[in-house]
Amino acid sequence: MNYITEIQKLKKEKNAVVLAHCYQNIEIDNIADYVGDSLYLSQMAAKTNADIILFAGVYFMAQTAKILCPDKKVLLPDIKAGCAMADMINLSQLREFKQKHNGIPAVCYINSTAEVKSECDICCTSSNAVEIVDSLNSEKVLFLPDKNLGRWVEKQLGDVEVITYDGCCPIHHNITVEDVVQIRKENPGIKLLAHPECKEEVTSLADFTGSTTGIMNFVKNSSDKKFIIATEKGVTDRLKRDYPQKEFIIIKDNLICESMKLNTLHDIYNSLKNETYEIKVDKDISQKALNCIERMLNASKTGAAK
């Protein structure tokens, strides 16, 4: 069976759209309508006229799409596709964190559950985290669950105290200063591009730190021909495909998000054919989480929180 052809047929028959995160297996791009980072995919979900949204990503992403599009059917090809970072904070842990710092606005990274989003003031992605925190005009901000992204935001702004929850992306957190030193020794003079989910001591050594889209745009606009990439392997795979005239070295071989790689063309075909697995979110939680997400989308459009 040619899964690409069959998936394209099913998309037309069912008026379905496929959103794919750029940590997915690269072959999924062949059937995706939109490929990008969390901010871009959230924006596309909010705009789509499709009846079905299939999210080639992980659970919190499909939840976000459902929150933005409550009247549409949202599918996740593999229900086991989760996020270790999002699982590091639940509702009770969030409430405890907020209680310790009463009255301080809470910013949640999009890598969080609908329940967590429902009790935060505003959401953010790695693409807009600095902009979102700055838009709150607050001397102190709570940031969760990613401590590394939160500390990076604090460093960029300088005049805002960012109080971070003790969570992280295990993939990015696994990159060390020793890795940077070693790769630079092997590749002197080559620019290192890092994701802000990396530790502060790693991003401080990088030539550029940015979201997956930010890294891709840096490569696109750079005259350099060789780069060291410090983020999940899916980004390096797409850079190698899109810029064959340039060379990309991933900082270490084990930067693979296994949950992201669970989705396959076979799974997507079955998901569209049988309309599984459908993602649902409690109505009250969804409405509260929607406020959190919409504030982010509005702030990204206007430069100020609404």
Side-chain angles (χ1 to χ4, degrees):
M1 178 186 292
N2 186 321
Y3 285 119
I4 293 174
T5 301
E6 294 304 314
I7 290 168
Q8 299 291 15
K9 286 180 184 176
L10 285 168
K11 283 165 58 180
K12 288 181 181 178
E13 289 171 12
K14 300 195 175 194
N15 188 26
V17 65
V18 175
L19 309 181
H21 193 274
C22 42
Y23 291 174
Q24 290 289 287
N25 295 300
I26 197 165
E27 63 269 19
I28 288 175
D29 290 9
N30 293 316
I31 51 85
D33 297 280
Y34 304 101
V35 181
D37 63 9
S38 295
L39 176 60
Y40 174 71
L41 295 176
S42 295
Q43 291 167 332
M44 293 305 101
K47 292 177 181 178
T48 185
N49 292 318
D51 295 317
I52 295 175
I53 298 172
L54 184 143
F55 217 121
V58 293
Y59 188 76
F60 78 81
M61 296 177 179
Q63 269 195 330
T64 301
K66 183 63 178 178
I67 291 164
L68 288 165
C69 308
D71 297 330
K72 300 183 187 300
K73 181 173 283 190
V74 176
L75 306 176
L76 185 66
D78 192 321
I79 199 65
K80 299 186 297 297
C83 173
M85 183 198 299
D87 291 342
M88 289 181 184
I89 186 166
N90 58 33
L91 202 52
S92 62
Q93 290 167 323
L94 169 61
R95 287 170 176 165
E96 184 180 349
F97 182 54
K98 289 175 66 176
Q99 193 170 24
K100 287 180 182 176
H101 308 282
N102 192 35
I104 301 175
V107 180
C108 65
Y109 194 19
I110 200 164
N111 297 43
S112 56
T113 64
E115 290 78 11
V116 166
K117 288 183 178 76
S118 73
E119 292 208 12
C120 286
D121 296 281
I122 193 167
C123 188
C124 77
T125 71
S126 55
S127 290
N128 64 13
V130 173
E131 176 188 11
I132 294 300
V133 171
D134 189 43
S135 75
L136 295 174
N137 297 314
S138 178
E139 292 181 358
K140 296 182 179 182
V141 167
L142 303 183
F143 195 96
L144 58 118
D146 188 5
K147 61 185 176 183
N148 293 327
L149 178 58
R151 287 169 184 164
W152 182 78
V153 168
E154 182 179 58
K155 189 175 180 181
Q156 305 313 299
L157 291 173
D159 58 352
V160 179
E161 181 183 353
V162 179
I163 303 166
T164 57
Y165 182 81
D166 190 23
C168 68
C169 167
I171 308 301
H172 289 101
H173 197 70
N174 190 38
I175 301 171
T176 66
V177 170
E178 290 74 22
D179 294 325
V180 175
V181 171
Q182 182 62 34
I183 203 79
R184 284 199 187 279
K185 188 183 297 183
E186 296 168 359
N187 302 274
I190 306 304
K191 284 190 173 65
L192 188 151
L193 316 182
H195 195 283
E197 289 178 13
C198 295
K199 297 172 187 172
E200 184 178 359
E201 54 263 36
V202 170
T203 56
S204 66
L205 295 174
D207 297 284
F208 173 79
T209 300
S211 67
T212 52
T213 295
I215 289 172
M216 289 175 170
N217 285 339
F218 186 94
V219 169
K220 178 182 178 181
N221 298 320
S222 175
S223 60
D224 290 359
K225 298 298 182 184
K226 192 172 182 179
F227 303 88
I228 300 165
I229 307 298
T231 189
E232 209 274 344
K233 181 178 178 290
V235 175
T236 306
D237 290 342
R238 283 164 177 78
L239 288 171
K240 287 180 177 179
R241 177 197 64 194
D242 295 342
Y243 303 96
Q245 74 280 16
K246 299 187 178 186
E247 185 178 348
F248 302 95
I249 304 160
I250 195 163
I251 194 169
K252 59 197 306 183
D253 294 331
N254 63 345
L255 300 182
I256 299 172
C257 177
E258 299 293 347
S259 287
M260 280 284 193
K261 301 296 193 275
L262 286 175
N263 299 310
T264 65
L265 289 173
H266 175 263
D267 294 330
I268 291 170
Y269 167 75
N270 283 335
S271 182
L272 277 177
K273 183 180 179 182
N274 303 311
E275 299 187 13
T276 54
Y277 296 89
E278 184 176 357
I279 303 301
K280 297 184 178 181
V281 182
D282 175 84
K283 189 175 179 181
D284 291 338
I285 289 173
S286 181
Q287 185 55 54
K288 291 176 183 177
L290 178 62
N291 294 334
C292 176
I293 297 167
E294 284 190 331
R295 286 196 75 196
M296 171 188 74
L297 296 175
N298 289 334
S300 292
K301 290 175 187 174
T302 66
K306 295 293 184 183

